[in-house]
Amino acid sequence: MTAPFVAFCDADVLVPIVCCDFLLTAAEAGLVDVVVSEVVLGEVERNLVENFAHLDPARLRRRVADMRDFLADQIVEVGGLGAVGDVVNEKDRHVVAAALEAGAEVLVTNDRRLRDEVERDSLTIRPMSADDLGNLLWTIDSDTVSEVLEALFGKRRSDSLTRRDFAEMLSRHLPTVARAWSNRAKD
């Protein structure tokens, strides 16, 4: 697999802001083509509003609208569910169907059960966690991934946020990538 390749993102990797920013910034840097469905973006919006009630819902909706704008040419319709076997649970069939419709080589989800189901269904798509994708991208082009992370750190930089703090934030969703980035900074 050589970059860029197509990676379909499930909602669970787009809700955490650091993980979402990493994936979209990696796409902007040309490391990967990120693809989503409108159904997934709807799930992202619903989860943000429901799970982050302490934040302004209008701001959360703007975040999803910004994602829609950025990914405008990368939003696919959910294809026929017939290509997805009964091994994949009913709740997630739309994710796999949309990934197949997009011609994605990778399905990025932190849902271990879904990854296992896709593996068992012997589909033409490789399931991986966001951290596994980040590690793959690091293996392909560590310099560009490092630039992506530096840009994300720069966006969040305040007098009180250190590289170590940012690496810790990153490690909640992308532990392998955070470790590689931290180790590179030490060299």
Side-chain angles (χ1 to χ4, degrees):
M1 187 177 334
T2 59
F5 55 92
V6 178
F8 186 90
C9 292
D10 194 3
D12 67 350
V13 299
L14 297 174
V15 170
I17 190 72
V18 173
C19 189
C20 178
D21 280 356
F22 171 76
L23 293 167
L24 297 185
T25 307
E28 188 173 41
L31 289 167
V32 62
D33 289 329
V34 169
V35 180
V36 296
S37 70
E38 190 57 50
V39 175
V40 163
L41 290 175
E43 286 180 16
V44 170
E45 186 171 317
R46 187 183 72 250
N47 284 314
L48 286 171
V49 171
E50 288 176 5
N51 296 331
F52 296 92
H54 62 286
L55 298 176
D56 177 10
R59 248 181 103 199
L60 297 171
R61 287 185 178 95
R62 272 194 308 278
R63 176 180 160 202
V64 176
D66 289 344
M67 291 168 61
R68 273 190 187 92
D69 288 345
F70 178 77
L71 295 168
D73 296 332
Q74 307 297 101
I75 299 174
V76 298
E77 295 297 321
V78 176
L81 299 180
V84 182
D86 290 340
V87 173
V88 176
N89 71 81
E90 190 172 326
K91 167 181 110 33
D92 290 320
R93 281 198 187 121
H94 71 92
V95 173
V96 178
L100 292 170
E101 182 71 24
E105 291 132 305
V106 173
L107 169 60
V108 187
T109 181
N110 286 335
D111 182 338
R112 158 83 53 208
R113 181 179 84 171
L114 178 56
R115 289 195 315 265
D116 290 346
E117 291 169 351
V118 170
E119 291 241 340
R120 279 195 308 274
D121 206 12
S122 303
L123 297 168
T124 60
I125 192 164
R126 181 177 172 194
M128 52 178 46
S129 68
D131 188 49
D132 290 338
L133 175 65
N135 189 45
L136 175 62
L137 296 177
W138 185 273
T139 301
I140 292 169
D141 188 347
S142 62
D143 290 338
T144 304
V145 173
S146 187
E147 290 170 12
V148 163
L149 295 172
E150 291 294 336
L152 294 179
F153 174 58
K155 279 178 31 179
R156 287 170 173 76
R157 195 167 203 170
S158 68
D159 292 336
S160 61
L161 183 71
T162 65
R163 289 180 71 81
R164 180 184 216 147
D165 294 336
F166 180 69
E168 188 173 309
M169 282 173 43
L170 190 64
S171 71
R172 291 182 197 128
H173 306 286
L174 303 158
T176 306
V177 175
R179 201 168 27 259
W181 183 66
S182 294
N183 289 340
R184 178 177 240 189
K186 291 176 188 174
D187 293 341

